[in-house]
Amino acid sequence: MSWLHLAILSPFILAVFIPLFYKNFRRIHTGWFVFPLPAVLFGYFLHFIPMNQNGDVYTKTLKWIPSLHINFTAHIDGLSLLFALLISGIGALVILYSIFYLSKAKEALHSFYVYLLLFMGAMLGVVLSDNLIVLYSFWELTSLSSFLLIGFWYERKKSTSGAQKSLVITVFGGLSMLAGISLLYIITGTSSIQEMSSQIEVITSHELFIPALILFLLGAFTKSAQFPFHIWLPDAMEAPTPVSAYLHSATMVKAGIYLLARMSPIFSDNAVWFITVGIVGSITLFWGSFSAIKQKDLKGILAFSTISQLGLIMSLIGVGSAALHYDYLDDNFYVIALTAAVFHLINHATFKGSLFMIVGIIDHETGTRDIRKLGGLMSIMPISFTIALIGGLSMAGIPPFNGFLSKEMFFTAMTNVMEMDIYHLETWGVLFPIIAWIGSIFTFLYSIILVFKTFTGAYQPEKLAKKPHEAPIGMLISPIILASLVIVFGFFPNILAYTIIEPAMSAIAPQLVQGGERFYINIQFWHGLNLEIAMTLGVILIGILLFVTLKKWTKIYDLLPEKFTLNNLYNGLLKGIEQGSKSITSFFMTGFIRDYLVYIFSFFIVLVLGTMWAKNAFQFNFSNVAPIGVYEAILALVTVAATITTLLSKSRLTAIISLGVVGYTVALFFVLFRAPDLALTQLVIETISVALFLLCFYYLPQLKRNKKLTFRLTNFLISLGVGVVVTLVALSANSNRLFTSISEYFLKESYREAGGKNVVNVILVDFRGFDTLFEITVLGIAAFGIFALIKLQLERRNENEKQ
Amino acid sequence: MKSNDIILQTAAKFVTFIIMIFSFYIFLGGHFGPGGGFVGGLLTSSALVLMLLAFDIKTMSTVIPFDYKLLIPIGLLVALGTGVGSFFFHVPFLTHAFGHFTLPIIGETELATATIFDLGVYLVVVGITMTIIQTIGESE
């Protein structure tokens, strides 16, 4: 157990003690006990930066299930460190914020912080695990803790349904990922990512490569809310705002991006990867930004904005994979896409975190998040306004904030797509920059709406539940820190470039730096007048134009009726599955034993006939058939006659007696076929069972009229089928004797080995005495069963009489 | 109402013994001729049932004050014990042995442990048949 393992597991350990703190220190907000942990972890992870800058990695292994090659290997490289810093850093800020956001008196704080710590530990585990099985375990734990956090206010119906939806979708993806992991394990024989990376040739040439890739993509797309799996994220906004800020903007939704970046050395040099990731990312970017505008809820806007920004990062990772197609680093124009992805990842975490916190403050101070009721809060909440402005403009991609820089790089990457000479991009690649540009216009628009509809315009105090005022300083600390980071990264992007982005890039695209080279990234604030600047200017101009004319064209959102939305599709799917399975079940589980017997016998006929047909077993050979004597023929006729009487008789008594006839005829058959023991037993047993039948007959209720068996065609066909099948099987088995019978041994050895001349009896008690032992046990159980049934019934009857 | 079935009762007394002896014969001769524990047991119980028919359950229980249910576990124990006994001679479960002995009165006889096993079967069969018939007979 190293310090690194302890760091990953520390949130779980602390989570155990949270309820104790909550119970024993009621006067102190429980959050204060949680807050130091992520802060310390942040400091701990910071000290890995110099190591990473030198291009080194840090690996520690803790044996878990060595026999299955599953070990808890913690691995720190640039990518994991970036995420670990995000998780612990924003985690600390969110906890600080939640201390002021959540009421000490009203909320179940212990559950909140336990879930949050579980989530934090799981997330650290996801990003720091080298073993895919361990990663998967933590991955599902993030889904689970996210489910708990979304449903934190479990009395609200929307919370629980949102939690359920997110769980269904993310677990669907998680299980796909597990399938992908299994496929990779089959291909490589290892579940360690590092060891897989050394077998890239083996993996890419394997036939299971594409299925594994698609399954991994499903996992990443569902977790990162990509189209069409994005529908859970807006519903997850029912969670407390600190949760939304932490999980649904900065960390969990980026787990899918982490997974893609982590697996990109293995998968990304492939057209399917490029096309799927690039296109899904672009569609998500466009759809998210387009849908954000029609939202009336501030958190709804932010949710769709997150979806759109995740799509942006996703498309950059997809496009960035083209860099691997060219095996040189110098002049590799496409590396910029990966740089932009990593840089925007950081930027998004900063500005989206601050925006969520501000929305939380607005909600907290005014009592509503509805954009139609808000307005004119600028002079009442100046600090919040400033932060929102910084975050909003950064999100829109306006200089001098960090969003501007990553957006420029995004444009550069997307315009470069056209110049690629792979995957026929020279023709359809032009779609990438167009979608990117349109998406950016909408992004600009919703950012502006978010900030200006809330803080400027008419102040409507009569619509607000509370009298608004500026938030307490404690609540503002975290968004202030994040907003300052937005500005710092905006002005000095290169402090990130050397420390974090470059090592992260080496982790995403290790193929490019194999020859001892390293990435040199220099994010320039001003790179001259070029196409990207023109595009940004276009975004701003058209964006402002659209904002001014907002009322005139928002009608287009009504063009798409509610029926055709993805949410409706999802609900319909769930409902369809439920109703479908219900109707299927109620169709065949009728509750009538007759129906179940029909199924059983039909399957018997189909399976046996099918097997005989498939194995070509219809070979009948009558050469070893014994001659049929007169007595046999007579007895057979009697049996058939008795059987027909049993079936067609009108009264039960006749049926019982003809059944007895059948039994005694069988005993006679035993006599004819020289089985005296069987004949004896059959005679006695038949007598007893006929007596018992008569007993049953005697006790039948009076109401029942003696009725002839009604004829049903299905029953007739099935019974005919069963009879024919059994006959065929018997004939076929008799015609295909493969071995000589074992009975010769018994006949020969019966007296010598067991000292008996009655071979049947010797077999029963000596050669196969074990069977007999259990047969008499069965008889004993039957006797006690009858005894118990009758006695219990008697007692119950006595009780009823007493009452 | 007491019916007078003196012929039945008298005949039953004799016939029962004949059936009993026949059932013992069948049981003991099982190793060499048709028969054995199962049929022997069924015949014994049919003798007892004859008594039941001729008299009634109450009379039967005073004449033979024995709970037939006990025969089931006793028979199972006998059969199981035969099997377990083979462990004392370091042979697999239910390995039987037999030998020829000269007994007083009867003369040279073959004795086999399989007969003890068969005795278990016999007891169980008598037990279950009598239990079932008595239970059903006692219920109303």
Side-chain angles (χ1 to χ4, degrees):
Chain A
M1 187 102 154
S2 63
W3 282 109
L4 186 53
H5 286 107
L6 194 66
I8 296 171
L9 298 177
S10 57
F12 300 115
I13 299 167
L14 182 61
V16 174
F17 295 102
I18 288 300
L20 287 179
F21 291 135
Y22 179 72
K23 273 249 162 78
N24 295 328
F25 304 96
R26 291 306 288 255
R27 295 176 58 194
I28 308 168
H29 197 285
T30 318
W32 288 116
F33 298 107
V34 185
F35 175 68
L37 180 75
V40 169
L41 285 177
F42 186 71
Y44 172 72
F45 286 122
L46 273 182
H47 98 269
F48 285 103
I49 285 180
M51 179 204 79
N52 262 334
Q53 272 181 299
N54 297 331
D56 296 329
V57 293
Y58 182 80
T59 308
K60 284 280 176 193
T61 302
L62 186 70
K63 288 221 182 318
W64 187 23
I65 316 173
S67 56
L68 295 176
H69 310 291
I70 299 172
N71 291 316
F72 187 7
T73 305
H75 177 83
I76 286 199
D77 59 7
L79 187 65
S80 0
L81 188 64
L82 159 66
F83 275 90
L85 286 171
L86 274 182
I87 293 160
S88 52
I90 296 189
L93 295 177
V94 161
I95 286 168
L96 186 65
Y97 174 77
S98 73
I99 291 172
F100 296 92
Y101 185 85
L102 291 173
S103 154
K104 196 164 55 182
K106 288 181 203 154
E107 307 286 359
L109 287 178
H110 52 314
S111 350
F112 180 80
Y113 286 109
V114 166
Y115 303 157
L116 202 68
L117 280 170
L118 277 184
F119 172 78
M120 189 185 288
M123 203 62 211
L124 283 175
V126 166
V127 300
L128 293 172
S129 295
D130 177 51
N131 192 295
L132 278 174
I133 300 290
V134 180
L135 189 148
Y136 172 74
S137 315
F138 283 121
W139 182 279
E140 290 297 22
L141 195 55
T142 62
S143 298
L144 191 67
S145 49
S146 151
F147 168 78
L148 292 170
L149 283 167
I150 296 169
F152 178 65
W153 287 314
Y154 54 84
E155 320 83 21
R156 302 185 188 171
K157 201 176 168 297
K158 273 182 149 184
S159 283
T160 49
S161 67
Q164 187 206 29
K165 194 177 191 178
S166 76
L167 191 73
V168 168
I169 294 180
T170 50
V171 167
F172 161 73
L175 288 174
S176 317
M177 198 180 97
L178 182 63
I181 292 170
S182 312
L183 291 185
L184 278 188
Y185 184 80
I186 291 169
I187 298 172
T188 61
T190 174
S191 48
S192 155
I193 299 172
Q194 300 305 311
E195 286 170 33
M196 280 178 188
S197 303
S198 59
Q199 300 187 42
I200 291 174
E201 300 289 321
V202 181
I203 298 173
T204 44
S205 56
H206 200 278
E207 57 184 350
L208 292 176
F209 171 68
I210 295 293
L213 190 155
I214 290 169
L215 288 168
F216 264 97
L217 286 183
L218 267 180
F221 287 165
T222 49
K223 198 78 163 179
S224 280
Q226 296 298 295
F227 189 88
F229 306 111
H230 65 270
I231 48 173
W232 67 268
L233 189 60
D235 287 12
M237 289 302 132
E238 292 302 321
T241 304
V243 173
S244 310
Y246 190 38
L247 274 69
H248 306 126
S249 74
T251 52
M252 188 179 86
V253 288
K254 294 198 170 109
I257 289 174
Y258 169 78
L259 184 75
L260 287 195
R262 177 54 77 204
M263 300 311 284
S264 76
I266 295 169
F267 287 127
S268 65
D269 197 1
N270 185 288
V272 178
W273 173 280
F274 178 91
I275 291 168
T276 321
V277 179
I279 288 183
V280 170
S282 295
I283 293 174
T284 315
L285 161 68
F286 168 73
W287 189 249
S289 58
F290 179 71
S291 307
I293 289 160
K294 82 174 162 184
Q295 301 302 313
K296 299 290 174 255
D297 179 10
L298 290 179
K299 277 174 96 174
I301 299 179
L302 287 179
F304 278 102
S305 145
T306 304
I307 292 167
S308 156
Q309 303 277 329
L310 291 170
L312 187 154
I313 300 172
M314 209 56 112
S315 66
L316 281 171
I317 288 181
V319 170
S321 74
L324 298 179
H325 209 77
Y326 308 93
D327 284 333
Y328 50 87
L329 189 57
D330 295 333
D331 297 337
N332 194 333
F333 222 42
Y334 311 105
V335 174
I336 196 158
L338 289 179
T339 319
V342 177
F343 189 41
H344 195 71
L345 186 81
I346 304 167
N347 295 343
H348 177 249
T350 54
F351 65 68
K352 191 54 64 67
S354 68
L355 281 175
F356 263 113
M357 290 176 186
I358 290 304
V359 167
I361 289 172
I362 293 168
D363 187 15
H364 207 264
E365 302 307 332
T366 64
T368 183
R369 296 194 311 247
D370 194 324
I371 202 162
R372 286 164 298 193
K373 295 182 186 167
L374 295 166
L377 294 174
M378 184 161 65
S379 53
I380 301 166
M381 305 167 82
I383 306 175
S384 306
F385 170 65
T386 318
I387 298 165
L389 191 67
I390 294 169
L393 292 184
S394 175
M395 181 158 77
I398 307 293
F401 306 110
N402 56 6
F404 168 70
L405 301 173
S406 43
K407 177 144 298 180
E408 293 300 285
M409 291 163 77
F410 169 58
F411 283 152
T412 316
M414 288 299 163
T415 45
N416 280 333
V417 171
M418 283 184 291
E419 290 162 31
M420 289 184 194
D421 51 1
I422 47 171
Y423 316 138
H424 305 293
L425 277 174
E426 60 272 19
T427 47
W428 61 276
V430 69
L431 286 174
F432 280 98
I434 292 176
I435 294 176
W437 190 65
I438 297 174
S440 298
I441 292 172
F442 284 117
T443 306
F444 180 84
L445 191 57
Y446 70 66
S447 309
I448 297 293
I449 291 175
L450 182 74
V451 176
F452 289 97
K453 288 261 180 188
T454 317
F455 288 100
T456 61
Y459 175 50
Q460 304 157 298
E462 71 283 356
K463 287 188 181 170
L464 301 179
K466 296 178 187 171
K467 191 172 158 37
H469 54 82
E470 186 58 276
I473 186 67
M475 226 181 206
L476 286 167
I477 293 173
S478 302
I480 286 175
I481 292 174
L482 286 172
S484 340
L485 284 176
V486 169
I487 298 175
V488 170
F489 293 156
F491 280 108
F492 311 104
N494 289 322
I495 54 169
L496 280 179
Y498 306 130
T499 51
I500 290 177
I501 298 179
E502 280 176 10
M505 300 270 299
S506 332
I508 297 173
Q511 291 100 317
L512 291 174
V513 286
Q514 264 166 0
E517 292 174 290
R518 56 174 297 183
F519 289 102
Y520 288 103
I521 291 157
N522 192 16
I523 301 167
Q524 285 166 335
F525 194 74
W526 175 250
H527 36 71
L529 276 173
N530 51 16
L531 182 62
E532 294 84 351
I533 287 288
M535 283 168 84
T536 306
L537 282 176
V539 165
I540 296 173
L541 283 177
I542 298 177
I544 290 174
L545 198 70
L546 284 176
F547 180 66
V548 174
T549 58
L550 197 57
K551 283 212 176 99
K552 287 177 185 154
W553 61 272
T554 38
K555 288 191 190 79
I556 62 158
Y557 287 105
D558 304 331
L559 289 180
L560 185 70
E562 192 65 23
K563 254 199 267 182
F564 296 108
T565 55
L566 282 166
N567 262 326
N568 202 51
L569 182 73
Y570 169 86
N571 292 334
L573 209 64
L574 275 195
K575 215 173 168 187
I577 289 170
E578 276 171 16
Q579 283 179 346
S581 46
K582 184 166 177 264
S583 59
I584 288 173
T585 310
S586 49
F587 173 72
F588 71 89
M589 300 297 282
T590 51
F592 291 106
I593 291 181
R594 185 193 297 272
D595 289 339
Y596 303 148
L597 288 176
V598 166
Y599 306 148
I600 293 170
F601 286 127
S602 326
F603 271 95
F604 171 76
I605 295 169
V606 170
L607 286 181
V608 175
L609 273 188
T611 315
M612 284 183 75
W613 185 74
K615 293 284 171 193
N616 199 19
F618 293 110
Q619 292 166 343
F620 303 117
N621 169 17
F622 295 101
S623 63
N624 57 358
V625 173
I628 302 167
V630 181
Y631 299 114
E632 283 106 324
I634 294 170
L635 281 186
L637 281 177
V638 173
T639 318
V640 171
T643 314
I644 291 173
T645 320
T646 315
L647 287 176
L648 301 183
S649 70
K650 217 171 143 189
S651 89
R652 287 202 176 88
L653 199 59
T654 321
I656 291 170
I657 289 168
S658 55
L659 205 61
V661 172
V662 173
Y664 289 125
T665 326
V666 169
L668 284 179
F669 266 118
F670 286 144
V671 172
L672 268 188
F673 294 141
R674 293 187 288 278
D677 294 87
L678 289 182
L680 275 176
T681 316
Q682 172 71 22
L683 276 174
V684 183
I685 287 293
E686 189 61 38
T687 313
I688 292 177
S689 49
V690 167
L692 288 177
F693 270 129
L694 287 173
L695 194 75
C696 297
F697 170 75
Y698 182 73
Y699 282 108
L700 274 179
Q702 295 291 318
L703 286 172
K704 293 273 158 77
R705 264 171 297 162
N706 273 348
K707 222 167 67 180
K708 206 181 148 189
L709 211 60
T710 46
F711 181 79
R712 283 171 209 250
L713 189 64
T714 352
N715 293 1
F716 174 72
L717 286 179
I718 284 178
S719 51
L720 193 71
V722 171
V724 167
V725 165
V726 172
T727 313
L728 285 177
V729 168
L731 288 177
S732 172
N734 196 43
S735 314
N736 295 297
R737 287 220 174 136
L738 301 175
F739 312 102
T740 52
S741 164
I742 195 176
S743 53
E744 276 174 36
Y745 169 82
F746 289 139
L747 290 172
K748 215 167 68 187
E749 300 293 332
S750 160
Y751 186 66
R752 217 165 55 80
E753 292 276 328
K757 284 181 179 160
N758 180 354
V759 183
V760 175
N761 188 270
V762 168
I763 292 175
L764 281 180
V765 297
D766 197 326
F767 289 131
R768 300 256 171 91
F770 204 59
D771 297 352
T772 312
L773 182 61
F774 286 100
E775 273 154 26
I776 56 176
T777 316
V778 167
L779 289 177
I781 292 169
F784 283 124
I786 290 171
F787 178 75
L789 269 178
I790 288 174
K791 288 291 170 191
L792 284 179
Q793 208 180 9
L794 287 177
E795 277 174 20
R796 204 173 298 146
R797 202 182 292 161
N798 288 343
E799 271 173 32
N800 288 346
E801 277 166 9
K802 273 178 206 161
Q803 285 166 359
Chain B
M1 193 188 83
K2 176 101 173 137
S3 64
N4 189 2
D5 13 76
I6 182 85
I7 296 176
L8 175 65
Q9 292 183 348
T10 318
K13 283 175 195 166
F14 289 104
V15 175
T16 302
F17 278 98
I18 297 170
I19 301 177
M20 277 291 200
I21 291 166
F22 182 61
S23 83
F24 285 136
Y25 167 74
I26 283 261
F27 164 65
L28 287 172
H31 230 43
F32 290 90
F38 201 81
V39 185
L42 284 175
L43 281 174
T44 305
S45 33
S46 68
L48 293 171
V49 169
L50 183 59
M51 295 290 278
L52 265 182
L53 289 175
F55 299 93
D56 57 65
I57 292 178
K58 256 187 197 160
T59 322
M60 271 296 282
S61 55
T62 46
V63 174
I64 311 173
F66 189 75
D67 188 358
Y68 294 104
K69 290 193 291 295
L70 277 179
L71 282 179
I72 301 172
I74 291 173
L76 282 175
L77 275 179
V78 169
L80 196 67
T82 321
V84 173
S86 59
F87 288 145
F88 292 107
F89 302 95
H90 300 286
V91 282
F93 184 67
L94 264 178
T95 308
H96 289 306
F98 68 95
H100 295 271
F101 302 93
T102 315
L103 297 177
I105 305 170
I106 309 171
E108 191 184 318
T109 318
E110 187 197 298
L111 293 181
T113 51
T115 312
I116 309 176
F117 184 78
D118 231 6
L119 179 67
V121 177
Y122 174 85
L123 292 175
V124 171
V125 170
V126 174
I128 62 138
T129 326
M130 293 316 290
T131 309
I132 292 173
I133 288 171
Q134 260 193 346
T135 320
I136 294 177
E138 277 169 3
S139 77
E140 286 141 31

